[in-house]
Amino acid sequence: MLIVYHYPICPISRKLRIILKEKKIDFQLVLEKYWERRTEFLVMNPSGVTPVAKFPDMTFALTGNSALFSFLEEKYPAHPLISQDLEEKFEVRRVTEWFDVKFYNEVVKYIMNERIIKPIVSKHHLEPNSSMIRAAKKNLAHHLDYIEYLLHDSNYLCGDIPTIADYSAAAQMSVLDFTGDILWNAKPKMKEWYALLKSRPSFRPILEDRIPGFAPPDYYSDPDF
Amino acid sequence: MLIVYHYPICPISRKLRIILKEKKIDFQLVLEKYWERRTEFLVMNPSGVTPVAKFPDMTFALTGNSALFSFLEEKYPAHPLISQDLEEKFEVRRVTEWFDVKFYNEVVKYIMNERIIKPIVSKHHLEPNSSMIRAAKKNLAHHLDYIEYLLHDSNYLCGDIPTIADYSAAAQMSVLDFTGDILWNAKPKMKEWYALLKSRPSFRPILEDRIPGFAPPDYYSDPDF
């Protein structure tokens, strides 16, 4: 069976778990504390980051982000998560990349590292760096306006059916929701969109994730928030 | 004709110019000083970064990175830059992403911004932040070992013919070569590889790029360096 090395609060690990469920591909999860830089893990992925996907019939492990997801989509064309039309496909990939790279690097990375990873790694529950959190939240406010704009005339980010862009976005947002950094009521379209995604069976395991020492807000697990 | 909005030292702009030449797609270049945040440019790409590609028959402009290059490869399958075999394709995409995202974010972004963009934007030829340059060069040393490793038994990064991974990598390396940050003689396989790419006609315009106020090393334009 496919083995997925993940960390619960890693957004790309979350995206992978959601997408495998949506594509009905069975897998087994292995918890990987990537900062411990386990030798066997580094052999599979010298970059040292989660997620890593290892199929039993392949000699190498799948790593990366868009490379990994393009591979899955091409190897398992059933339950497609992207249109076959070239221009629609471009838009889905563009929005996906926007969340995976820009939104992650300007917002999620700082909030996740400062609020969760740093206290765990340091073992001293270090306080988050407030200027980093402030900068990330300033970027976040700007980016949430863009998300609301993308949803202004559709239920999902790239039209009226969910695509890999929605799962990529929701995986990133779920990390910020875990840390309590999203004020949902300020963005009604976005809230409606996230509620639709939250209620999908593929999302349920994400909502059950817990990290010792950290409590998400009560509404984190509630599809009716 | 396709219009490409670019900045000469932007690595993804360079990659796009090389790839369009390799795929024999005609285009016209427009110099975009992206930090000026020109209104018409922001309408095409709210992210405000180069490159942007605008086909006359399309209502929207192409932006992003892997989204843009996947679109080009699918719309123009002639002169393919990636294998059709699923596992080989994965490896090409993985290496491409490694350069476009990791290598860029950990090395090229800092060196380019500190050594070139900051002095231009500030108009006061501000000195680069030496601790940022030092961190980037520390990452660079580590990453060059990985490149040398990827080339240990092949002429190109993913086998014996050039792929989009090589053009992506060479575009990033060319920025560091422009700023004089690569000691080629320390990495013989990498030097041989870069010489092969430098001698391709698609690379020539990159070697002719100049930015007022900055002089690349003499060997920058020389395919026999």
Side-chain angles (χ1 to χ4, degrees):
Chain A
M1 195 193 288
L2 168 63
I3 300 179
V4 170
Y5 300 82
H6 83 123
Y7 188 69
I9 205 75
C10 153
I12 308 294
S13 295
R14 291 182 158 212
K15 170 179 170 178
L16 179 56
R17 290 157 65 199
I18 295 168
I19 274 161
L20 291 170
K21 290 263 183 202
E22 291 288 340
K23 294 189 79 69
K24 311 207 184 304
I25 303 169
D26 282 340
F27 63 99
Q28 192 190 323
L29 278 179
V30 173
L31 178 77
E32 186 68 46
K33 295 177 180 175
Y34 55 86
W35 58 88
E36 294 179 351
R37 299 183 66 76
R38 200 164 57 87
T39 311
E40 297 84 343
F41 184 66
L42 290 178
V43 168
M44 285 192 295
N45 185 13
S47 294
V49 294
T50 49
V52 168
K54 180 72 179 72
F55 284 95
D57 59 339
M58 282 176 69
T59 53
F60 59 91
L62 301 172
T63 61
N65 182 348
S66 74
L68 166 54
F69 291 99
S70 297
F71 178 89
L72 289 178
E73 197 62 37
E74 289 167 8
K75 190 173 166 87
Y76 300 97
H79 312 291
L81 302 181
I82 191 164
S83 159
Q84 281 312 298
D85 172 83
L86 270 193
E87 296 195 5
E88 286 174 18
K89 206 191 259 194
F90 166 78
E91 180 62 4
V92 170
R93 284 174 172 152
R94 184 189 71 78
V95 175
T96 298
E97 192 174 5
W98 190 87
F99 280 99
D100 285 349
V101 181
K102 190 174 170 73
F103 191 76
Y104 172 73
N105 277 303
E106 295 182 1
V107 181
V108 179
K109 185 175 72 178
Y110 295 110
I111 291 190
M112 172 183 87
N113 283 339
E114 290 301 319
R115 293 212 199 276
I116 300 184
I117 305 299
K118 200 164 88 175
I120 294 176
V121 174
S122 69
K123 289 178 183 157
H124 291 97
H125 276 261
L126 279 184
E127 286 296 306
N129 178 320
S130 60
S131 71
M132 277 193 186
I133 296 277
R134 211 161 36 238
K137 292 198 79 154
K138 197 175 155 195
N139 292 335
L140 174 62
H142 197 66
H143 291 349
L144 293 186
D145 289 344
Y146 182 60
I147 299 174
E148 192 80 354
Y149 161 77
L150 285 175
L151 292 164
H152 76 283
D153 64 354
S154 58
N155 288 332
Y156 293 98
L157 292 170
C158 302
D160 282 324
I161 55 164
T163 66
I164 192 166
D166 297 286
Y167 303 126
S168 308
Q172 298 283 343
M173 298 293 280
S174 75
V175 176
L176 304 179
D177 197 33
F178 187 93
T179 56
D181 283 291
I182 300 197
L183 298 171
W184 292 102
N185 289 333
K187 293 281 181 281
K189 288 293 292 179
M190 189 178 82
K191 184 178 177 183
E192 217 173 289
W193 162 81
Y194 193 63
L196 284 173
L197 290 162
K198 249 181 146 173
S199 66
R200 296 179 78 85
S202 64
F203 221 81
R204 203 161 307 143
I206 305 300
L207 303 180
E208 287 162 9
D209 279 342
R210 289 297 178 274
I211 294 179
F214 298 88
D218 290 340
Y219 55 78
Y220 171 75
S221 315
D222 184 3
D224 240 354
F225 57 113
Chain B
M1 195 194 290
L2 168 63
I3 300 180
V4 170
Y5 298 83
H6 83 123
Y7 189 70
I9 205 75
C10 154
I12 308 295
S13 296
R14 291 182 158 214
K15 170 180 170 178
L16 179 57
R17 290 156 65 199
I18 294 167
I19 274 160
L20 290 170
K21 290 263 183 201
E22 290 287 341
K23 294 189 79 69
K24 311 209 184 302
I25 302 168
D26 282 341
F27 62 99
Q28 191 191 322
L29 278 178
V30 173
L31 178 77
E32 186 68 44
K33 296 177 179 174
Y34 54 85
W35 59 87
E36 293 180 351
R37 299 182 66 76
R38 201 166 56 86
T39 310
E40 296 85 344
F41 184 65
L42 290 179
V43 169
M44 285 191 294
N45 185 13
S47 293
V49 294
T50 48
V52 168
K54 179 74 179 70
F55 284 95
D57 60 338
M58 281 176 69
T59 53
F60 59 92
L62 300 172
T63 61
N65 182 350
S66 75
L68 165 55
F69 291 98
S70 297
F71 178 89
L72 290 177
E73 197 61 37
E74 289 167 8
K75 190 173 165 89
Y76 300 96
H79 312 290
L81 303 181
I82 191 164
S83 160
Q84 282 312 298
D85 171 83
L86 270 193
E87 295 195 6
E88 285 174 20
K89 206 191 259 193
F90 167 77
E91 180 61 4
V92 171
R93 284 175 172 153
R94 184 189 70 79
V95 174
T96 299
E97 192 175 5
W98 190 87
F99 280 99
D100 285 350
V101 181
K102 190 174 171 72
F103 191 77
Y104 172 72
N105 277 304
E106 295 183 1
V107 181
V108 179
K109 184 175 72 178
Y110 295 110
I111 291 190
M112 173 183 87
N113 284 338
E114 290 301 318
R115 292 211 198 277
I116 300 184
I117 305 297
K118 199 165 87 176
I120 295 177
V121 174
S122 70
K123 288 177 183 158
H124 291 96
H125 276 263
L126 279 183
E127 286 296 306
N129 177 321
S130 60
S131 70
M132 277 192 187
I133 297 276
R134 212 164 32 240
K137 292 197 79 153
K138 197 175 156 195
N139 292 335
L140 175 62
H142 197 67
H143 292 347
L144 293 187
D145 289 343
Y146 182 60
I147 299 174
E148 192 79 354
Y149 161 77
L150 286 175
L151 293 164
H152 77 284
D153 64 353
S154 58
N155 289 331
Y156 293 98
L157 293 169
C158 303
D160 282 323
I161 54 164
T163 65
I164 191 166
D166 297 286
Y167 303 126
S168 308
Q172 299 282 343
M173 299 292 280
S174 75
V175 176
L176 304 178
D177 197 33
F178 186 93
T179 56
D181 284 290
I182 300 196
L183 297 171
W184 292 103
N185 289 333
K187 294 282 182 280
K189 287 293 293 179
M190 188 178 81
K191 184 179 177 183
E192 217 174 290
W193 162 81
Y194 193 62
L196 283 172
L197 290 162
K198 249 179 147 174
S199 65
R200 297 179 78 86
S202 64
F203 222 81
R204 204 161 307 143
I206 305 299
L207 303 180
E208 288 162 7
D209 279 342
R210 289 296 178 275
I211 294 179
F214 298 87
D218 290 341
Y219 56 79
Y220 171 75
S221 316
D222 184 2
D224 240 355
F225 57 112

